């Protein structure tokens, strides 16, 4: 299982760390940041790069200068200052994790990181980055991109709202019913695992009540959202059947 990650920041660095912990045989073969990209078909040293990110923020150029350049071509890792060209590389999985929503585009006017006819061969894209834009032009560009990448090339796309659904669900719960002040973990307890666990146990019944209220309110909210989305989808398809991301 090979992975390339566009943007080695909070999302990209932690994604690579967690991937290594959970699937040790997985190989992160390419990463990029604002200064360029690193590629090693045998797998990059994720722990080392994670440490560089923690200490210095940007990692690709630093790793090149400190580790690759002294050994020259003998070093198995290649570096390029063109960060976008990471998306030319083949991998099982591509993770967009840079603050860019149009990582792939069909036309040069889409101003994407890479054109779909030049992208590497991937089986799946896992969107760590937020890729949604309400701008109608961006939405049309996104649909064009999906029609080719998913509809024609058959690359599965796990959308941002699915990948980040844990955060989205938590934010939605807060939006529907805010956590009351008496159920917010006191600041002075943060960092003290034992104290927090005891505090949570002591407030167990109140949390159970809050979660029941949120479930009822959430189900009602969901019905309204589904209704609204279905109307929007039907209107969209009625206006242009080509908007379907794939042909059955
Ligand atoms: N931090 C979060 O909790 C979180 C959660 C979900 C989604 N997101 C989304 O993920 C994306 C990244 O967020 P983050 O918190 O990791 O940001 P970050 O600033 O920590 O990291 C972004 C990384 O992308 C790199 N980058 C910027 N432009 C690039 C380019 N053109 N090509 C390659 N790399 C580039 C930067 O150098 C940096 O390494 C954003 O879209 C953000 O909205 C963040």
């Amino acid at each position: 299982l090979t992975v390339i990650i566009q943007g080695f920041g909070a999302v990209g660095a932690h994604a690579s760390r967690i991937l290594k912990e959970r699937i040790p045989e997985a190989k992160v073969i390419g990463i990029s940041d604002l200064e360029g990209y690193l590629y090693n078909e045998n797998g990059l040293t994720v722990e080392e790069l994670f440490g560089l990110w923690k200490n210095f923020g940007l990692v690709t150029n630093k790793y090149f200068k400190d580790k690759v350049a002294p050994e020259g071509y003998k070093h198995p890792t290649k570096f390029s200052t063109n960060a976008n060209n990471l998306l030319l590389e083949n991998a099982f999985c591509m993770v967009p994790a840079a603050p860019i929503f149009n990582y792939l585009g069909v036309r040069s006017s889409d101003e994407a990181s890479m054109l779909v006819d030049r992208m590497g061969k991937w089986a799946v894209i896992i969107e760590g980055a937020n890729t949604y834009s309400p701008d109608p032009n961006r939405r049309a560009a996104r649909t064009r991109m999906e029609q080719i990448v998913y509809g024609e090339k058959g690359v599965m796309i796990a959308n941002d709202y699915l990948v980040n659904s844990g955060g989205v669900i938590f934010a939605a719960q807060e939006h529907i019913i805010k956590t009351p002040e008496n159920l917010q973990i006191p600041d002075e307890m943060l960092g003290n695992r034992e104290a927090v666990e005891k505090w949570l146990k002591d407030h167990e019944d109140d949390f159970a009540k809050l979660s029941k209220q949120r479930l009822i309110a959430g189900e009602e909210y969901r019905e309204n959202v589904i209704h609204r989305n279905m109307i929007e989808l039907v209107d969209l398809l009625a206006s242009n059947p080509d908007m379907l991301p794939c042909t059955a």
Side-chain angles (χ1 to χ4, degrees):
L1 195 153
T2 53
V3 180
I4 56 174
I5 301 176
Q6 182 194 35
F8 201 74
V11 171
H14 282 288
S16 72
R17 177 185 60 77
I18 294 166
L19 182 76
K20 265 281 159 222
E21 277 169 21
R22 300 208 181 154
I23 314 177
E25 64 277 18
K27 284 190 284 191
V28 176
I29 57 172
I31 62 158
S32 64
D33 62 19
L34 272 173
E35 294 184 334
Y37 86 91
L38 295 170
Y39 177 83
N40 182 342
E41 64 180 355
N42 298 314
L44 294 163
T45 48
V46 165
E47 299 81 358
E48 188 179 14
L49 294 167
F50 187 87
L52 283 182
W53 168 70
K54 277 251 156 200
N55 289 321
F56 304 103
L58 293 170
V59 306
T60 59
N61 194 23
K62 174 146 188 66
Y63 184 84
F64 168 70
K65 280 192 180 145
D66 293 354
K67 299 288 167 108
V68 183
E71 281 187 41
Y73 287 108
K74 283 190 201 139
H75 199 287
T77 300
K78 105 180 164 193
F79 169 72
S80 161
T81 52
N82 187 335
N84 287 344
N85 280 353
L86 173 70
L87 274 64
L88 295 170
E89 307 286 359
N90 300 334
F92 177 79
C93 172
M94 199 300 252
V95 179
I100 300 167
F101 47 80
N102 49 343
Y103 55 94
L104 287 175
V106 175
R107 305 173 184 163
S108 51
S109 59
D110 292 342
E111 292 178 350
S113 311
M114 181 57 61
L115 289 172
V116 292
D117 54 11
R118 296 186 69 216
M119 64 185 259
K121 285 198 178 115
W122 315 321
V124 59
I125 296 171
I126 310 275
E127 293 184 350
N130 289 340
T131 53
Y132 175 78
S133 166
D135 176 341
N137 291 330
R138 299 282 188 198
R139 286 173 67 173
R142 168 77 190 198
T143 306
R144 279 198 296 276
M145 181 280 269
E146 286 178 356
Q147 276 167 346
I148 308 245
V149 174
Y150 173 62
E152 289 180 20
K153 294 183 188 264
V155 181
M156 293 281 292
I157 306 176
N159 289 46
D160 58 351
Y161 53 81
L162 177 72
V163 177
N164 294 315
S165 56
V168 175
I169 290 168
F170 182 77
Q173 284 182 346
E174 275 299 312
H175 176 69
I176 294 169
I177 299 181
K178 214 173 146 34
T179 305
E181 240 167 69
N182 67 317
L183 288 184
Q184 289 179 21
I185 301 170
D187 282 352
E188 62 274 15
M189 245 177 228
L190 296 177
N192 182 342
R193 196 190 180 101
E194 272 177 26
V196 170
E197 275 173 7
K198 182 178 179 317
W199 186 89
L200 288 173
K201 187 95 195 119
D202 293 345
H203 293 78
E204 203 171 32
D205 293 344
D206 289 337
F207 275 116
K209 272 187 215 142
L210 176 65
S211 85
K212 266 195 193 136
Q213 287 165 358
R214 280 179 165 164
L215 185 64
I216 294 165
E219 281 174 351
E220 195 178 312
Y221 194 87
R222 185 186 59 190
E223 291 309 309
N224 290 333
V225 171
I226 290 174
H227 187 73
R228 201 180 60 219
N229 285 357
M230 286 311 290
I231 291 173
E232 200 180 298
L233 181 66
V234 170
D235 283 351
L236 182 76
L237 293 178
S239 71
N240 180 4
D242 288 342
M243 293 300 270
L244 270 171
C246 66
T247 43

